[in-house]
């Protein structure tokens, strides 16, 4: 068993004719919080979508826990333990909070424990407990974000992919979300996160990659990336 | 005026309405999950009707048993069409952008083939058979036993369909897929399998409805089209992608049509139905029920 939970080798991907990712190779280590940093349109969401199987690669391979998952559909990847909290949350607008959680435990691996997991999530996010029978679309942005995270956790992932979890949230809520992410990691879940709030993210991440125009430009421990002058200038506004 | 209040019409309306509900919910299911408009939907009812007719005529098989056969055959057709045609229509992302338009053409072709194939095999002569056609008296309303059986069966089926969508995991997945395709993939739903299920279930319900209809109405190869039209009006009325809405709207259209015809005359059927469609499109394009949502892609 290697240290790598997720391994991308020379991955290229895009949307039809539009090429976005070019030769991306990266590793997410078991138990780490790994951050992906980049400007708007750099290809961060595309990378997350590639890892969760929403779009195919045009070249390269994806490995998860030693297995080649390059050609596997998203349903199989979720079953293996890869769950995405997507940009824009994408909760089910007409489902209640409870139904949103329930569908989060759709995969076979956890199906039988759906009730128990729902309870855990409502404990982890008391805010959702208060709103349990409310339709997803009537939740506030922050509540929706919590729900999207809870829904992903319902599948008991080994790798949690987070795409801009702080987007559109008030500062206190952002702090809460970041706290939850660290709690989740403490339970042994590996986290791969894309975040606009680079400063905070690099304060709790272990490792970071910087992506520009679809290619990786830099990588290193979160500390070293944070101290890098180019990162300071471009992403930390120093 | 007496006729309007006799209960006779109400029963007739409920029979029509429950059949409409069954046909329409399948159409809406396929639209909701795949964003494809099945213009051949009523023709599956025609196939189901012929299955029941031939099984009864050739083997004396009760329509209540051949209903299962009608469902199975329709579901089989659905599986074949899905595997060999629609999967390819949706295969590449380039085609996917045009999937809606392409699927419409394919379904249109399927409708033409089913109608004319049936006509070639069995002629266009209207056919019928006598089964449970004694007249029962309920209060002051008279109804043939086969219509009563249709009413009871289709109401049971409507309830079963509601329960299926509400309480089963596949039902939950179907409703999830109607709301958001990407989100469904994210939670690990095998969307291709659910596409297949909705195809099969939708077709089966239409075939089943046709089997029921054959007991009390003459059948012929082109009987499906009015059901297709009615089903389209119903899913607009009940809301695109709103399964429970189309069950309710099916009953509503059954009542409007039956009472409307009683007041105006049978020649007005199409005018009534298109009238309802136009009114709904003008006044509540999102459908009678639910919020503001007109299903997005
Ligand atoms: N569905 C799509 N079809 C075509 N091009 C797309 C599509 N989605 C994204 N792109 C393009 O791919 C590039 C990368 O987009 P992506 O969403 O991955 O960026 P991002 O790094 O997540 O940006 P942001 O920080 O704004 O979320 C952009 O140039 C974008 O225009
Ligand atoms: Mg993005």
């Amino acid at each position: 068993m290697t240290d790598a939970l997720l391994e991308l080798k020379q991955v290229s991907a895009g949307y039809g004719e539009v090429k976005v990712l070019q030769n991306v190779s990266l590793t997410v280590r078991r138990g780490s919080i790994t951050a992906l940093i980049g400007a708007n349109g750099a290809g961060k969401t595309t990378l997350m979508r590639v890892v969760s199987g929403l779009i195919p690669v045009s070249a390269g391979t994806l490995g998860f826990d030693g297995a080649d998952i390059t050609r596997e559909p998203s349903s199989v990847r979720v079953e293996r333990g890869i769950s995405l909290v997507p940009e824009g949350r994408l909760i089910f607008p007409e489902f209640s909070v409870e139904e949103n959680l329930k569908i989060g435990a759709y995969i076979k691996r956890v199906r039988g424990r759906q009730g128990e997991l729902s309870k855990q999530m409502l404990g982890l996010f008391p805010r959702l407990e208060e709103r349990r029978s409310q339709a997803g679309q009537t939740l506030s942005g922050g509540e929706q974000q919590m729900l999207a995270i809870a829904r992903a956790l319902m599948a008991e992932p080994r790798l949690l992919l987070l795409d801009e979890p702080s987007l559109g949230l008030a500062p206190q809520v952002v702090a809460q979300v970041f706290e939850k992410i660290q709690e989740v990691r403490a339970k042994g879940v590996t986290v791969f996160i894309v975040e606009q709030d680079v400063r905070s993210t690099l304060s709790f991440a272990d490792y970071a990659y910087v992506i520009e125009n679809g290619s990786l430009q830099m990588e290193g421990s979160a500390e070293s990336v944070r101290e890098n002058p180019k990162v300071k200038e471009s992403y930390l506004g120093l | 005026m007496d006729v309007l209040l006799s209960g006779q019409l109400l029963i007739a309306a409920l029979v029509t309405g429950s059949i409409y509900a069954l046909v329409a919910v399948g159409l809406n299911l396929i639209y909701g999950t795949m964003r494809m408009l099945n213009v051949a939907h009523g023709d599956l009812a025609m196939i189901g009707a012929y299955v029941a007719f031939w099984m009864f005529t050739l083997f004396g098989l009760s329509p209540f048993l051949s209903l299962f056969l009608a469902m199975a055959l329709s579901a089989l057709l659905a599986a074949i069409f899905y595997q060999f045609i629609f999967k390819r229509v949706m295969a590449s992302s380039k085609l996917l952008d045009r999937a809606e338009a392409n699927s419409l053409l394919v379904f249109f072709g399927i409708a033409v083939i089913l109608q004319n194939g049936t006509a070639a095999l069995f002629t266009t002569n209207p056919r019928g058979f006598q089964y449970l056609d004694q007249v029962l008296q309920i209060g002051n309303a008279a109804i043939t036993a086969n219509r009563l059986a249709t009413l009871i069966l289709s109401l049971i089926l409507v309830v079963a369909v509601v329960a299926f969508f509400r309480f089963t995991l596949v039902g939950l997945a179907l409703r999830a897929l109607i709301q958001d395709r990407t989100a469904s993939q994210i939670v690990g739903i095998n969307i291709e399998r659910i596409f297949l299920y909705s195809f099969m279930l939708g077709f089966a319900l239409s075939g089943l409805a046709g089997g029921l209809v054959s007991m009390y109405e003459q059948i012929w190869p082109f009987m499906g089209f009015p059901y297709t039209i009615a089903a389209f009006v119903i899913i607009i009325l009940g809301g695109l992608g709103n399964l429970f809405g189309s069950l309710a709207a099916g009953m509503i259209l059954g009542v409007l049509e039956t009472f409307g015809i009683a007041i105006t005359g049978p020649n007005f059927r199409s005018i009534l139905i298109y009238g309802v469609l136009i009114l709904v499109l003008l006044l509540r394009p999102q459908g009678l029920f639910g919020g503001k949502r007109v299903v997005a892609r």
Side-chain angles (χ1 to χ4, degrees), chain A residues 16-17 49 53-54 74-75 78 84 86 90-95 99 102-104 106-108 111 137 151, chain B residues 93-94 166-167 169 172-173 175-177 179-180 182-190 193-194 292-293:
Chain A
E17 303 291 291
R49 294 176 139 251
L54 297 174
S74 50
S75 54
V78 181
L84 170 68
L90 299 190
I91 58 164
F92 295 101
E94 290 172 15
F95 278 174
E99 283 175 314
K102 187 173 176 186
I103 197 80
Y106 176 82
I107 54 161
K108 288 202 189 73
R111 210 171 265 181
Q137 62 193 351
R151 182 182 69 183
Chain B
S93 55
K94 238 191 236 160
R166 269 249 173 277
F167 301 118
L169 202 65
L172 190 73
R175 286 189 289 139
L177 188 51
Q179 290 172 63
D180 196 315
T182 307
S184 300
Q185 287 177 288
I186 285 172
V187 296
I189 294 171
N190 182 343
R193 183 176 306 161
I194 300 295
K292 48 229 161 309
R293 184 178 66 114

Side-chain angles (χ1 to χ4, degrees), chain B:
Chain B
M1 218 45 205
D2 285 351
V3 185
L4 292 182
L5 300 173
S6 68
Q8 186 90 19
L9 275 183
L10 184 62
I11 293 179
L14 293 179
V15 172
T16 308
S18 53
I19 292 289
Y20 279 177
L22 288 176
V23 177
V25 76
L27 180 71
N28 211 358
L29 183 61
I30 294 169
Y31 180 78
T33 53
M34 306 173 78
R35 303 292 184 267
M36 288 184 175
L37 281 171
N38 179 7
V39 290
H41 203 68
D43 297 306
L44 274 308
M46 182 272 292
I47 298 288
Y50 270 87
V51 169
F53 170 80
W54 282 116
M55 284 298 130
F56 185 81
T57 308
L58 294 178
F59 308 114
L61 190 66
S62 158
F64 296 115
L65 295 177
S66 50
L67 283 180
F68 291 101
L69 215 60
M71 286 180 79
L73 180 66
S74 308
L76 180 68
L77 283 176
I80 292 171
F81 290 150
Y82 178 76
Q83 290 293 345
F84 294 105
I85 304 175
F86 290 95
K87 221 170 163 174
R88 283 170 206 200
V89 171
M90 301 191 302
S92 80
S93 55
K94 238 191 236 160
L95 277 177
L96 200 57
D97 295 334
R98 296 204 312 262
E100 243 163 279
N102 287 346
S103 69
L104 198 63
L105 290 175
V106 175
F107 275 126
F108 193 70
I110 289 174
V112 170
I113 291 168
L114 290 180
Q115 289 168 11
N116 293 291
T118 309
L121 277 175
F122 305 130
T123 77
T124 55
N125 296 336
R127 294 162 189 270
F129 57 92
Q130 253 92 55
Y131 183 75
L132 287 183
D133 57 351
Q134 61 272 36
V135 177
L136 304 175
Q137 201 68 36
I138 302 173
N140 56 0
I143 181 174
T144 57
N146 50 33
R147 279 177 197 262
L148 185 64
T150 299
L151 176 59
I152 293 169
L153 250 179
S154 48
L155 286 180
I156 291 173
L157 284 161
V158 166
V159 173
V161 169
V162 169
F164 175 76
F165 289 137
R166 269 249 173 277
F167 301 118
T168 69
L169 202 65
V170 174
L172 190 73
L174 285 167
R175 286 189 289 139
L177 188 51
I178 289 172
Q179 290 172 63
D180 196 315
R181 188 176 288 185
T182 307
S184 300
Q185 287 177 288
I186 285 172
V187 296
I189 294 171
N190 182 343
I191 59 168
E192 289 207 351
R193 183 176 306 161
I194 300 295
F195 287 157
L196 175 66
Y197 288 170
S198 51
F199 240 62
M200 292 174 72
L201 182 61
F203 276 40
L205 288 173
S206 188
L208 171 94
L212 288 169
V213 166
S214 75
M215 286 196 296
Y216 61 87
E217 254 174 30
Q218 295 248 305
I219 67 172
W220 76 308
F222 302 100
M223 65 180 275
F225 187 62
Y227 287 98
T228 304
I229 294 298
F232 271 78
V233 175
I234 290 162
I235 68 173
I236 305 278
L237 190 62
L240 287 174
N242 184 343
L243 302 174
F244 305 112
S246 39
L247 293 171
M251 300 307 280
I252 291 173
L253 192 71
V255 169
L256 288 178
E257 179 188 318
T258 309
F259 283 85
I261 287 175
I263 295 168
T264 55
N267 296 337
F268 284 83
R269 180 185 178 272
S270 306
I271 297 176
L272 282 167
I273 289 192
Y274 285 113
V276 171
L277 176 65
I278 290 165
L279 267 185
V280 174
L281 286 178
L282 286 178
L283 299 179
R284 269 189 83 84
Q286 74 276 39
L288 292 181
F289 314 105
K292 48 229 161 309
R293 184 178 66 114
V294 177
V295 175
R297 196 172 171 84

